[in-house]
Amino acid sequence: MADKYTQLVSQGLGKDLAKRLGLPQPVELRRYRPGAPLVTGPVLVSGDSAGADDIATTLLGWGLDVRRNALPKEKLGAIVLVLDAVQHPDDLGKPVLTAGASLRDLAVNARVVTISRTADSAQSPASAAARQGIDGLLRSLAKELRAGATANGILLDDDLATTSPSALGALRFFLSGRSAYVDGQFLTVSSTRGLMPGDPEKPLAGKVAVVTGAARGIGAAIARTLHRDGATVVAVDIPAAGDHLARVANEVRGTALQLDISRDDAGHRIIEHAVERHGRLDIVVHNAGITRDRLLANMDEGRWRSVIAVNIAAQLRINEALLASEHFKDSPRIVSVASTSGIAGNRGQTNYGASKGGVIGMVRSTAAHMEPFGGTINAVAPGFIETEMTAKMPFAIREAARRLNSLKQGGQPQDVAEAIAFLASDAAGGITGGVLRVCGQQLVGA
Ligand code: NAD
């Protein structure tokens, strides 16, 4: 559901007025609905490498209307710009300008996706320059697109084919309505692991997933989304949130576990509940989090300690139990909720920023420990999301935070949940140790 301002300027008099006054013109974003088409128009595959040909063939196999050359004035649902073979910044001009000539013809809520290689794996300075150049190019392009269109990129380690399973998984995610509020971001694929789901509408079929902080807000949306995608959900929250928790657990036909995640035995309790009630444990989503904002000059020990305890220390302790458990060895997934405050910083949130930056560091380091048994761990960093928490912000600050991003609107809890559901799926098996921002390309900070 779009906010009131977005509804007002989306049609009729409000639309004309906003245009004339130069006011922000957000559009209602195309969000995933089961059964909806992957993209809403022809897909231009740009680039002349063998990897680009392979992508065009794959997209044809997905039933999409694929073009290698766009017809003038054709409304495109997406442009996939394949740059996997560039060796020097000079190589960028032709394919990039060719794609650029079609940008005016993008449909509302269209997608631009680049596929290229990680600069870290480049063999020469020129190749590293070209690859890193794509980072700056993509982030700039995302700021130029209008009407709900987004630009995101897939980075492949050297030797990985453009059609490796998680590259295709990431491509489907970026093309679909599941990535509505992800803009100007990259997903890095570092191995050939990953499996495309048998049923793309039920990518989590047969999985048992634990979601902490599931009684309300983003956590409740994660529980609903994982259930929609086929998982059996264990909803965890503090005993004081018991009634709300039971309601969410019933709605998703899962089970409720009343538990303070900062307890020493929280990891053990989570594993025990999942295995005793559902026979297995595949996915853990660390979503529970708290804020206790104060300028550092006014910060007391209680505020500092409680935020660190819930937002990062609890996750570290639970992960230790998970990694030690024989029940968490079958290509398991951990997805942790960080925040853009942990990347760009936020006034009044030194404790929260430390805890959320900590989540990103923890994820990077834990990836190696999950790797031997095919496990992955990633973080999702939300920006401004429309929840009870952000509804309480003073009007002017809230309105500024809501508009200061490339999509000119706040995200929905479902947008965060969709990114988590993707990272928790088999299709994302080759993606680990990373952080994906769900922030509409926030313009403030990093
Ligand atoms: P929320 O306050 O609405 O929900 C958090 C849930 O976590 C609550 O149900 C709460 O009872 C539960 N919880 C708190 N402490 C717990 C504990 N010790 N044990 C078990 N459960 C506990 O918050 P939200 O807005 O839905 O945020 C969810 C996550 O997303 C948090 O990690 C938050 O930091 C992060 N986040 C939110 C935003 C946003 O804009 N709302 C932005 C960036 C990051």
Side-chain angles (χ1 to χ4, degrees):
M1 180 67 179
D3 63 83
K4 286 206 175 65
Y5 175 84
T6 302
Q7 288 171 24
L8 191 73
V9 300
S10 291
Q11 50 197 335
L13 200 62
K15 189 175 179 181
D16 292 344
L17 201 64
K19 197 169 183 185
R20 242 178 289 144
L21 296 176
L23 295 172
Q25 283 192 282
V27 301
E28 189 146 359
L29 300 181
R30 173 171 65 95
R31 292 192 163 88
Y32 173 75
R33 300 271 174 274
L38 190 60
V39 282
T40 50
V43 180
L44 172 67
V45 177
S46 185
D48 50 17
S49 63
D53 293 339
D54 293 343
I55 286 292
T57 308
T58 302
L59 295 185
L60 274 172
W62 290 353
L64 300 179
D65 176 3
V66 178
R67 309 291 165 88
R68 293 297 262 137
N69 293 296
L71 303 171
K73 302 283 170 240
E74 186 174 33
K75 283 290 174 213
L76 293 170
I79 299 174
V80 181
L81 179 52
V82 187
L83 300 167
D84 61 316
V86 295
Q87 298 292 341
H88 189 283
D90 286 345
D91 300 343
L92 291 172
K94 187 171 163 244
V96 169
L97 294 174
T98 305
S102 291
L103 287 174
R104 282 184 205 287
D105 302 318
L106 283 181
V108 171
N109 279 312
R111 300 285 189 264
V112 177
V113 183
T114 59
I115 302 178
S116 59
R117 299 204 176 275
T118 52
D120 287 351
S121 61
Q123 301 293 320
S124 73
S127 163
R131 293 175 180 196
Q132 192 67 37
I134 294 164
D135 186 285
L137 153 74
L138 188 281
R139 292 179 201 275
S140 301
L141 173 58
K143 292 182 178 179
E144 293 180 9
L145 296 179
R146 295 278 174 270
T150 61
N152 293 291
I154 298 164
L155 297 174
L156 304 169
D157 272 356
D158 268 3
D159 303 331
L160 286 185
T162 55
T163 50
S164 59
S166 285
L168 296 182
L171 182 56
R172 271 194 95 92
F173 171 71
F174 281 144
L175 290 175
S176 77
R178 291 176 187 262
S179 65
Y181 200 60
V182 181
D183 197 11
Q185 307 304 313
F186 287 89
L187 278 167
T188 300
V189 180
S190 53
S191 82
T192 54
R193 282 193 171 136
L195 209 62
M196 291 303 273
D199 178 358
E201 304 266 298
K202 294 281 174 208
L204 301 178
K207 307 282 184 190
V208 174
V210 168
V211 182
T212 69
R216 65 179 207 184
I218 294 172
I222 298 168
R224 290 185 190 110
T225 304
L226 299 187
H227 165 67
R228 180 203 67 195
D229 282 358
T232 301
V233 175
V234 176
V236 177
D237 212 300
I238 49 173
D243 286 351
H244 284 111
L245 182 67
R247 216 170 298 150
V248 173
N250 284 340
E251 191 191 323
V252 302
R253 279 175 262 140
T255 52
L257 172 60
Q258 292 188 10
L259 173 71
D260 180 340
I261 56 156
S262 56
R263 282 176 55 133
D264 282 351
D265 64 348
H268 172 70
R269 295 269 310 275
I270 284 171
I271 297 164
E272 190 182 59
H273 179 103
V275 174
E276 277 183 8
R277 302 290 293 274
H278 306 291
R280 55 188 295 131
L281 176 57
D282 303 285
I283 298 161
V284 173
V285 181
H286 291 301
N287 162 77
I290 57 170
T291 49
R292 297 286 183 271
D293 297 356
R294 274 284 188 283
L295 295 178
L296 184 56
N298 304 326
M299 184 74 69
D300 57 82
E301 201 182 333
R303 281 191 168 77
W304 181 272
R305 270 182 188 278
S306 55
V307 168
I308 298 291
V310 175
N311 293 7
I312 179 63
Q315 296 191 17
L316 285 165
R317 205 173 311 112
I318 291 170
N319 287 354
E320 261 178 47
L322 293 172
L323 286 166
S325 170
E326 52 169 320
H327 299 293
F328 203 62
K329 289 284 181 288
D330 185 9
S331 301
R333 301 275 183 271
I334 299 176
V335 189
S336 226
V337 180
S339 165
T340 50
S341 297
I343 301 170
N346 200 15
R347 186 180 149 85
Q349 292 200 316
T350 49
N351 51 353
Y352 186 74
S355 72
K356 295 297 191 179
V359 166
I360 294 168
M362 175 274 283
V363 157
R364 203 179 295 141
S365 165
T366 308
H369 300 280
M370 303 276 292
E371 204 269 340
F373 41 90
T376 70
I377 177 166
N378 289 285
V380 166
F384 180 93
I385 305 298
E386 307 280 0
T387 61
E388 284 174 45
M389 190 178 94
T390 48
K392 287 188 192 124
M393 288 165 79
F395 174 78
I397 298 175
R398 185 175 72 230
E399 198 47 26
R402 200 181 247 160
R403 304 292 161 216
L404 285 176
N405 58 72
S406 292
L407 297 172
K408 305 200 167 19
Q409 58 194 290
Q412 296 294 329
Q414 186 199 343
D415 299 329
V416 181
E418 297 286 7
I420 288 170
F422 167 63
L423 290 168
S425 71
D426 285 344
I431 300 171
T432 192
V435 50
L436 179 63
R437 290 168 59 148
V438 182
C439 67
Q441 197 180 32
Q442 220 167 46
L443 303 180
V444 182

